[in-house]
Amino acid sequence: MGKSKDLATLAANGLTTLKATNLEVDNIKNSSGIAAATIDSSGRIFKDQKIGFLARGYSGYVDASGASATNMASMRAWTYVTIDYNHGNHWDNTNAVFTCPVAGTYLVSGGYGYKEGVGYLGLHLFKNQTNLARNWSYNSFQHDASNATQVVVCAANDELRLCHHSGYQHPSDANTNDYYAYFTAHLLI
């Protein structure tokens, strides 16, 4: 193994520090043996423990005022027809909320491509009680679209919601088409 001071500092419970120019490994695991990352033969690194979801197709809403009596009193959080994936099961489609399981930086995006009727539609992206994005459509026909995408720093148990204002239009749910609305969030780091 060479000189221990050059390669590693050993503690009573095992190796605690490793100094090396090259490590040749295929898997990185935590001390419990749970895989954290995999390195393929081309050198690409894949996270084994993913956090994120993609929901599509507006199916209705839930009253979001329970989250905050002030900022969300007129907000309707969206539920969806299709959940394409829900890594970690942190998206709750019944209550229309994504709960961040760990602190970190998340990529959050949502939008719609067709309104239920003629009129305004206010698209709102919330983190807890804070409105991060507020996009309004024109008072126009149904062929209108809007989206919001942000990189958001979250604490564990922060909640993310995509909403519309209760006094205005919502995305179309005609024939429960999956492509009229979407919401997604992913842990980046």
Side-chain angles (χ1 to χ4, degrees), residues 56-174:
R56 297 182 300 117
Y58 176 86
S59 68
Y61 65 84
V62 296
D63 186 355
S65 64
S68 167
T70 307
N71 293 349
M72 298 183 70
S74 299
M75 294 295 115
R76 304 297 182 251
W78 299 358
T79 59
Y80 299 89
V81 174
T82 301
I83 311 304
D84 287 319
Y85 56 87
N86 189 6
H87 299 303
N89 294 314
H90 305 292
W91 168 251
D92 176 352
N93 201 49
T94 301
N95 295 303
V97 62
F98 176 78
T99 303
C100 301
V102 296
T105 302
Y106 290 78
L107 177 64
V108 184
S109 184
Y112 66 91
Y114 194 70
K115 297 185 297 191
E116 185 65 22
V118 175
Y120 296 105
L121 191 157
L123 174 75
H124 301 266
L125 175 60
F126 275 88
K127 173 183 146 185
N128 301 323
Q129 301 175 22
T130 303
N131 195 331
L132 301 176
R134 183 180 305 161
N135 300 344
W136 284 93
S137 73
Y138 289 105
N139 186 11
S140 60
F141 294 105
Q142 294 167 292
H143 297 281
D144 213 340
S146 183
N147 63 58
T149 301
Q150 292 195 9
V151 174
V152 182
V153 176
C154 295
N157 298 312
D158 277 350
E159 296 181 338
L160 301 169
R161 290 178 173 82
L162 193 65
C163 305
H164 71 271
H165 191 281
S166 64
Y168 300 92
Q169 292 295 315
H170 56 77
S172 177
D173 57 2

Side-chain angles (χ1 to χ4, degrees), residues 42-69:
S42 298
R44 293 180 295 242
I45 299 174
F46 299 93
K47 289 174 28 179
D48 293 335
Q49 303 299 318
K50 297 175 182 73
I51 296 172
F53 79 100
L54 172 60
R56 297 182 300 117
Y58 176 86
S59 68
Y61 65 84
V62 296
D63 186 355
S65 64
S68 167

